[in-house]
Amino acid sequence: MTTTVLDHPLVHHKLSLIRDRKTPGSLFRTLIEEVGLLLAVEATRTLPVEPVVIETPLERTESQRLRQLDPVLVPVLRAGLGLLPSFLRLLPTAKVGHLGLYRDHDSLVPVPYYRNFPPLLEARPVFVLDPMLATGGSASEAVRQLKGAGAANLTLVAVLAAPEGLRRLQEDHPDLRIIVGAVDRQLNEKGYILPGLGDAGDRLFGTA
Ligand SMILES: O=P(O)(O)OC[C@H]1O[C@H](OP(=O)(O)OP(=O)(O)O)[C@H](O)[C@@H]1O
Ligand SMILES: O=c1cc[nH]c(=O)[nH]1
Ligand SMILES: [Mg+2]
């Protein structure tokens, strides 16, 4: 498993605002989208390109363009929706799959409740979007379902990860590529990331 942690002044700055309990929901959403853009730049670094000959206003030249087929973006509902606009901004022709999972409050086991994946998963790079990687149960289940549907080239994108979640994914999916904004200290007894940012879904959608 390869894990890339974005170590960038803009990520540190924006995370300091995202983590702040006083940051209102509207700004929280904007900041998640901004960190999402920085994550998207790193996550798309390995997309395959092909040569193309074009004519500038001055001369013919060889350039590069993304090779077809378009990638697939899979936000894990709900909180993964917070990263979707950033990825669609940079990959406007991407296909979008949806996967609904919620973490049972007591067992912390992910409960699936919705799934809709686009076709040809086996031929496309697939980006799983979820701001929070805590125990790793939800990400592991998302990757398991996508592999079962044929996906072979999978990248998980998260804003914050706990060491416990990274270890779980290393065991369950050693072939997974992971891009994260930061790795925090640990989980608390309720499975929340410390120092963390609280409940990402609730802060994005005003449900707490
Ligand atoms: O690594 P884990 O221990 O599985 O925890 C992480 C999951 O928890 C959150 O979702 P939540 O269950 O709160 O659902 P929500 O996005 O609808 O709020 C988060 O968005 C992840 O999907
Ligand atoms: O800290 C956490 C852990 C899981 N889900 C969240 O939204 N936050
Ligand atoms: Mg939540």
Side-chain angles (χ1 to χ4, degrees), residues 76-79 101-103 130 132-138 199 201:
V76 177
L77 309 180
R78 295 172 299 164
L101 298 177
Y102 72 86
R103 214 170 57 145
D130 193 334
M132 308 305 277
L133 173 60
T135 66
S138 303
D199 190 300

Side-chain angles (χ1 to χ4, degrees), residues 24-33 76 78-83 130-132 197 199-208:
S26 54
L27 179 57
F28 182 89
R29 251 193 323 273
T30 301
L31 289 161
I32 290 286
E33 283 191 28
V76 177
R78 295 172 299 164
L81 291 172
L83 293 171
D130 193 334
M132 308 305 277
L197 54 76
D199 190 300
D202 284 344
R203 292 191 69 187
L204 280 168
F205 302 117
T207 45

Side-chain angles (χ1 to χ4, degrees), residues 120-139:
L120 291 178
L121 280 181
E122 59 283 357
R124 302 176 188 274
V126 176
F127 297 94
V128 180
L129 312 180
D130 193 334
M132 308 305 277
L133 173 60
T135 66
S138 303

Side-chain angles (χ1 to χ4, degrees), residues 13-185:
H13 176 77
K14 291 176 192 302
L15 271 177
S16 77
L17 297 166
I18 285 171
R19 292 181 191 279
D20 191 332
R21 67 188 306 163
K22 294 194 296 295
T23 296
S26 54
L27 179 57
F28 182 89
R29 251 193 323 273
T30 301
L31 289 161
I32 290 286
E33 283 191 28
E34 290 173 353
V35 171
L37 273 178
L38 296 161
L39 288 165
V41 169
E42 186 58 34
T44 52
R45 185 182 292 283
T46 54
L47 284 180
V49 289
E50 62 187 8
V52 57
V53 175
I54 55 158
E55 289 193 28
T56 77
L58 300 173
E59 64 177 16
R60 260 168 101 80
T61 188
E62 189 169 289
S63 186
Q64 296 186 348
R65 70 178 171 200
L66 292 178
R67 208 187 306 148
Q68 301 296 342
L69 300 159
D70 290 316
V72 174
L73 310 173
V74 182
V76 177
L77 309 180
R78 295 172 299 164
L81 291 172
L83 293 171
L84 185 61
S86 324
F87 276 74
L88 278 175
R89 181 94 170 268
L90 297 185
L91 296 168
T93 60
K95 312 297 179 201
V96 180
H98 292 81
L99 182 60
L101 298 177
Y102 72 86
R103 214 170 57 145
D104 180 83
H105 273 124
D106 299 317
S107 68
L108 301 184
V109 172
V111 181
Y113 61 88
Y114 183 74
R115 166 176 161 160
N116 188 336
F117 296 156
L120 291 178
L121 280 181
E122 59 283 357
R124 302 176 188 274
V126 176
F127 297 94
V128 180
L129 312 180
D130 193 334
M132 308 305 277
L133 173 60
T135 66
S138 303
S140 183
E141 171 63 13
V143 170
R144 189 189 71 77
Q145 289 206 26
L146 284 159
K147 284 182 174 173
N153 176 356
L154 280 150
T155 302
L156 172 74
V157 179
V159 173
L160 287 185
E164 293 91 332
L166 290 173
R167 283 198 292 273
R168 162 89 186 259
L169 288 180
Q170 171 69 52
E171 275 179 27
D172 291 359
H173 301 292
D175 52 336
L176 184 64
R177 180 172 166 255
I178 301 182
I179 312 291
V180 290
V183 179
D184 275 9
R185 192 176 73 246

